[in-house]
Amino acid sequence: MRRIGLCPRLAQPRRRLCASLTFSDLPGLVVEQDFLSQEQHEDIFSEVRRASEMAQEMAGLSELPAMVSPAHNIPSRSEYVPVQLPLEAQLGPSSQTPNDTTRSAEHFCHYGQGHRLTYYRGNDNIPRLGLPRNFLDRL
């Protein structure tokens, strides 16, 4: 079940209201409509796809053995390969200090039924992937 509410958000120099969706069966999940422009959405989608393909390639070329994931949400065995990806970092939680240009991740080449998953641990390790520099501050 979902409900539509209004949330105040600062836009440019004046305040406006934006529509939000919340889901009673998923507490804490909020979908904010129009958070990104269409152009930003397309740029981010392209960067996410590029990062996924890079992680898949690097995991396939890695000499490190795959590691069994001890905790995951699917009923089958799941393995990942640690990878270091040359991706720009989203700035830290306060958007004050930049991080280096390498993101560490756990890449699952086969997750669930035909999926891939790249997992980045910690806010300071979130790759930018085309997101606005103030992304975390806007949340």
Side-chain angles (χ1 to χ4, degrees):
M1 174 170 256
R2 66 182 179 177
R3 67 184 160 88
I4 298 177
L6 296 177
C7 66
R9 181 173 68 178
L10 195 58
Q12 297 303 345
R14 61 171 207 236
R15 284 181 86 74
R16 72 177 178 94
L17 296 177
C18 63
S20 293
L21 300 176
T22 58
F23 304 85
S24 60
D25 53 341
L26 297 169
L29 177 64
V30 176
V31 177
E32 194 170 322
Q33 301 294 314
D34 301 321
F35 184 75
L36 300 169
S37 70
Q38 183 64 33
E39 182 179 342
Q40 287 175 316
H41 181 269
E42 291 168 6
D43 290 346
I44 292 165
F45 186 80
S46 175
E47 286 295 309
V48 167
R49 182 173 293 269
R50 183 181 71 83
S52 175
E53 290 169 357
M54 186 183 342
Q56 183 77 3
E57 181 178 348
M58 292 179 86
L61 295 173
S62 177
E63 294 182 11
L64 296 173
M67 303 174 76
V68 175
S69 177
H72 55 276
N73 298 336
I74 57 176
S76 61
R77 177 183 169 104
S78 189
E79 296 180 340
Y80 67 88
V81 177
V83 293
Q84 298 289 317
L85 301 171
L87 297 171
E88 181 182 1
Q90 181 62 249
L91 297 180
S94 65
S95 294
Q96 298 300 312
T97 56
N99 293 329
D100 60 42
T101 58
T102 302
R103 309 279 54 83
S104 60
E106 297 164 359
H107 183 70
F108 296 79
C109 294
H110 307 284
Y111 190 80
Q113 297 177 354
H115 300 283
R116 298 182 203 163
L117 173 67
T118 307
Y119 191 80
Y120 304 89
R121 291 185 186 268
N123 282 351
D124 291 343
N125 196 42
I126 295 173
R128 186 157 173 248
L129 300 174
L131 289 164
R133 290 213 180 268
N134 64 345
F135 167 70
L136 292 176
D137 291 338
R138 288 177 57 194
L139 292 178

